[in-house]
C-alpha cells in the first residue's frame, strides 16, 4: 500500500469550519464572511480537464472524489501509470443543498474499465482507472458501474493530510479495541488517540491487522475526516483564524477539480450545512474473489442498483434503510 488515502472530502468538509469564525455576528455578516473565505480558497484550487465531457449540473449534484497516491503533488493527473485512486467516493449533494451522502467504493471492486492508454479495456480493479486514463477514465468507469452521470470530479493529493492535520494542531480519533499494524509496526491503543500529520498517515494507511481490512480502513478515513472537521470547527469558535487559514490553504493547493466545477458556490453552500448533514457509507460488496492469483471484491449488483436509484431520485432514505450508514464517531 503506497500512500493512498481518502482525502477527497477534505475541501468541502473543512470549509464548514469557516462558517464559525465569527459565530456571534448577524447572519448577513456571517454570510459575507463565508463568501469571502470561499472565494479566497476557490482561487487556490487547481483546475484541469478531468471530465470526459462538459456537464452543466443543476439542482442535485453528484461529484466523484478521488484520493490520489501522488504524495509530493508533483505529477499530472492524466494517464500517469502507478497513480491509483484507492480512495473513491461518490458524493451526492441533494437538490436543496441541505444534505450530503458520501459513499466509498472499495478499491479492489472488480468492474469494467473502458479502454484507455495502455489498457485495452475489460474488467479489473476500479482503482486502476486513474492510472490508465486519469480522472476522465475514472469518471467513465464509475458512470458505467452506476449508470448515472457524474457532474463534477476532484482529485486530492496525499500531501494535504500532513499539512492540514498539523495546521489544525492534530486531531483526536477514538479506537474501539487495541490493534497492531504489522506492516508499519505500530500499536494503536484503545480509546482516544491524538494524531499528528505523520501519525495520521499511518493511521489512514493501515489495513493489516484490522478485522475487516480495507473496509475498516475506509471507515477510518471517514472517521478521521469527521474528526478533522470538528477540529476545524473548534478553531473557528476560538477565533484561531491563522491555523484555519493554513489548513484550508493546504487542502486547496493539493486539490484539482474539473474546469466547470462551481467551487466557490459549492463551498458557500456546504459551509452553511449543519455538521450532521453528511452521512457516510460504503458500497456493499458480495465478497472476495480470486482470478489468476489476484484478489478482487465482487460487486453486489443489488447494492449498485439501490445506489443508482438513490442518486437519480435524489432520495437516499431507502438506500440507508437497506445499507446502514457507517459509524464515524469511533472505529477499528
Amino acid at each position: 500500500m503506497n500512500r493512498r488515502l481518502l482525502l477527497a472530502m477534505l475541501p468541502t468538509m473543512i470549509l464548514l469550519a469557516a462558517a464559525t469564525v465569527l459565530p456571534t455576528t448577524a447572519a448577513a455578516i456571517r454570510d459575507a464572511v463565508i463568501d469571502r473565505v470561499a472565494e479566497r480558497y476557490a482561487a487556490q484550487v487547481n483546475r484541469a480537464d478531468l471530465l470526459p465531457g462538459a456537464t452543466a449540473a443543476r439542482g442535485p449534484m453528484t461529484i466523484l472524489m478521488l484520493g490520489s497516491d501522488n504524495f509530493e503533488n508533483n505529477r499530472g493527473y492524466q494517464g500517469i501509470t502507478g497513480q491509483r485512486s484507492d480512495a473513491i467516493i461518490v458524493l451526492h449533494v441533494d437538490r436543496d443543498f441541505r444534505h450530503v451522502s458520501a459513499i466509498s467504493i472499495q478499491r479492489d471492486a472488480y468492474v469494467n474499465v473502458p479502454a484507455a492508454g495502455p489498457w485495452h479495456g475489460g474488467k479489473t480493479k476500479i482503482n486502476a482507472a486513474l492510472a490508465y486514463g486519469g480522472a476522465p477514465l475514472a469518471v467513465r468507469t464509475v458512470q458505467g458501474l452506476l449508470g448515472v452521470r457524474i457532474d463534477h470530479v476532484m482529485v486530492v493529493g496525499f500531501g494535504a493530510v500532513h499539512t492540514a492535520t498539523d495546521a489544525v494542531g492534530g486531531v483526536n480519533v477514538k479506537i474501539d479495541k487495541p490493534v497492531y499494524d504489522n506492516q508499519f509496526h505500530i500499536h494503536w491503543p484503545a480509546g482516544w488517540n491524538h494524531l499528528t500529520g505523520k501519525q495520521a498517515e499511518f493511521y489512514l494507511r493501515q489495513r493489516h491487522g484490522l478485522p475487516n481490512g480495507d473496509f475498516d480502513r475506509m471507515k477510518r478515513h471517514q472517521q478521521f475526516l469527521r474528526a478533522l472537521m470538528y477540529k476545524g470547527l473548534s478553531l473557528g469558535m476560538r477565533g484561531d483564524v491563522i491555523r484555519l487559514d493554513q489548513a484550508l490553504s493546504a487542502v486547496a493547493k493539493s486539490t484539482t477539480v474539473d474546469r466547470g466545477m462551481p467551487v466557490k458556490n459549492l463551498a458557500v453552500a456546504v459551509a452553511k450545512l449543519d455538521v450532521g448533514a453528511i452521512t457516510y457509507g460504503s458500497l456493499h460488496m458480495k465478497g472476495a474473489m480470486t482470478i489468476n492469483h489476484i484478489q478482487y471484491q465482487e460487486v453486489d449488483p443489488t447494492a449498485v442498483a439501490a445506489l443508482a436509484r438513490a442518486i437519480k431520485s435524489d432520495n437516499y432514505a431507502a438506500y440507508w434503510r437497506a445499507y446502514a450508514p457507517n459509524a464515524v464517531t469511533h472505529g477499528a
Side-chain angles (χ1 to χ4, degrees), residues 268-282:
V268 168
V270 174
K272 296 178 182 179
L273 287 175
D274 179 82
V275 294
I278 302 175
T279 305
Y280 302 91
S282 303

Side-chain angles (χ1 to χ4, degrees), residues 11-31:
T12 50
M13 293 178 63
I14 200 168
L15 273 168
L16 290 169
T20 63
V21 173
L22 297 175
T24 61
T25 61
I29 298 177
R30 178 177 164 127
D31 288 350

Side-chain angles (χ1 to χ4, degrees), residues 280-284 300-304 306-307 318-326:
Y280 302 91
S282 303
L283 184 62
H284 185 262
D300 184 344
T302 302
V304 168
L307 178 56
Y319 182 83
W320 293 127
R321 285 196 299 270
Y323 305 98
N326 290 335

Side-chain angles (χ1 to χ4, degrees), residues 106 108-111 123 145 215 283-291 295-301 303-304:
Q106 220 274 359
D108 293 338
Y110 190 58
V111 303
K123 284 199 167 185
L145 172 66
F215 291 97
L283 184 62
H284 185 262
M285 297 285 143
K286 294 183 70 173
M289 56 187 296
T290 301
I291 302 175
Q295 190 173 78
Y296 302 88
Q297 283 290 330
E298 184 178 2
V299 173
D300 184 344
V304 168

Side-chain angles (χ1 to χ4, degrees), residues 19 26 49 149 187 189 235 280:
D49 296 322
R149 186 186 70 175
H187 174 263
L235 291 177
Y280 302 91

Side-chain angles (χ1 to χ4, degrees), residues 32 41 45 82 102 172 190 233 315:
Y41 298 108
V45 172
N172 298 317
L233 284 170
N315 188 334

Side-chain angles (χ1 to χ4, degrees), residues 161-302:
V161 73
H162 279 231
T163 50
T165 303
D166 287 335
V168 299
V171 300
N172 298 317
V173 295
K174 188 175 183 181
I175 300 176
D176 295 333
K177 296 180 180 180
V179 60
Y180 178 70
D181 184 343
N182 57 16
Q183 180 181 9
F184 300 114
H185 307 292
I186 297 175
H187 174 263
W188 298 100
W192 289 104
N193 286 255
H194 182 77
L195 305 179
T196 63
K198 186 63 177 178
Q199 290 169 327
E201 172 192 344
F202 290 118
Y203 183 73
L204 298 175
R205 289 175 64 188
Q206 180 180 3
R207 57 177 172 147
H208 298 280
L210 296 178
N212 297 299
D214 280 321
F215 291 97
D216 280 338
R217 181 172 59 176
M218 288 192 298
K219 293 178 182 179
R220 273 193 173 189
H221 293 162
Q222 297 171 349
Q223 177 198 14
F224 169 80
L225 290 170
R226 180 181 183 274
L228 182 62
M229 179 184 71
Y230 273 96
K231 186 60 179 288
L233 284 170
S234 68
L235 291 177
M237 292 296 290
R238 296 201 306 267
D240 195 342
V241 182
I242 293 178
R243 279 190 173 181
L244 197 56
D245 178 83
Q246 292 172 339
L248 287 164
S249 294
V251 174
K253 292 174 181 178
S254 296
T255 301
T256 299
V257 303
D258 63 271
R259 297 193 185 280
M261 186 174 184
V263 177
K264 177 186 173 182
N265 293 341
L266 182 60
V268 168
V270 174
K272 296 178 182 179
L273 287 175
D274 179 82
V275 294
I278 302 175
T279 305
Y280 302 91
S282 303
L283 184 62
H284 185 262
M285 297 285 143
K286 294 183 70 173
M289 56 187 296
T290 301
I291 302 175
N292 295 328
H293 308 293
I294 299 175
Q295 190 173 78
Y296 302 88
Q297 283 290 330
E298 184 178 2
V299 173
D300 184 344
T302 302

